[in-house]
Amino acid sequence: MVKFHFFSTLKKALLLNLSEISDNKKTETLREEGELPMTETEQIRTVRRGRLSTESTKSQEEIDQWYAERAAFRQRCKVIFDRVQPELIKTHYNWYMAVEPNSGDYFIDQDELAVVQIAHQKHPNAKIHVFHINQTGVCGTI
């Protein structure tokens, strides 16, 4: 019986996080009775900002602008891809091709991550787009 009371008191003390109790009356009650009633606990919940927070969400205009910029960037890269695809599809089928549209450079490799690393070594701060050298140019499967 004594062990059970000790463990239930210890469990309550751990759940209440006694180091954060600042009210002297609660501390005295705890010392006198050996436990703190569950009704005296207050949970302080911190509000965390995340992607679902209204403060960090973008307006619909900003989202539409982002999609338009991405589509325009992909189209600039697709022009370069379409120019070299017929030659590369014969010799490098199912390889990956990274395109940097500002310089017109493109890089090919069998591994998708390797081609991205090669492109970033040559153009460290540039945005690149990766194509799959096949009939569609799309990476992955549907």
Side-chain angles (χ1 to χ4, degrees):
M1 204 63 175
V2 174
K3 286 183 181 179
F4 177 75
H5 179 69
F6 172 75
F7 286 119
S8 65
T9 304
L10 181 63
K11 181 179 176 184
K12 288 179 184 178
L14 290 174
L15 290 174
L16 297 174
N17 196 0
L18 296 177
S19 63
E20 295 181 4
I21 298 175
S22 60
D23 190 3
N24 289 335
K25 187 174 183 180
K26 289 181 183 177
T27 306
E28 289 173 14
T29 305
L30 178 65
R31 287 181 187 153
E32 291 172 3
E33 298 177 7
E35 61 182 289
L36 188 64
M38 294 299 284
T39 57
E40 293 186 26
T41 63
E42 292 183 24
Q43 293 182 353
I44 300 173
R45 185 172 181 212
T46 58
V47 178
R48 297 180 184 169
R49 259 189 256 164
R51 65 178 193 173
L52 299 178
S53 174
T54 57
E55 297 174 13
S56 64
T57 57
K58 294 182 178 183
S59 68
Q60 189 61 39
E61 293 83 21
E62 291 174 328
I63 294 170
D64 292 340
Q65 179 184 2
W66 183 81
Y67 278 115
E69 289 171 0
R70 294 279 300 168
F73 179 76
R74 185 185 187 285
Q75 188 59 38
R76 288 176 37 214
C77 295
K78 182 104 168 95
V79 170
I80 298 168
F81 175 72
D82 289 339
R83 187 180 69 226
V84 298
Q85 178 195 18
E87 303 162 9
L88 294 176
I89 203 165
K90 297 173 187 171
T91 58
H92 298 91
Y93 190 77
N94 277 338
W95 285 37
Y96 294 93
M97 176 177 159
V99 178
E100 199 285 314
N102 295 333
S103 66
D105 291 344
Y106 62 91
F107 309 91
I108 59 172
D109 197 280
Q110 286 183 323
D111 184 33
E112 186 177 9
L113 293 177
V115 77
V116 170
Q117 289 175 348
I118 294 167
H120 280 299
Q121 285 175 355
K122 177 86 189 240
H123 302 284
N125 296 325
K127 291 171 75 175
I128 60 167
H129 189 81
V130 177
F131 292 98
H132 201 186
I133 303 174
N134 56 21
Q135 288 79 12
T136 60
V138 178
C139 298
T141 59
I142 297 175

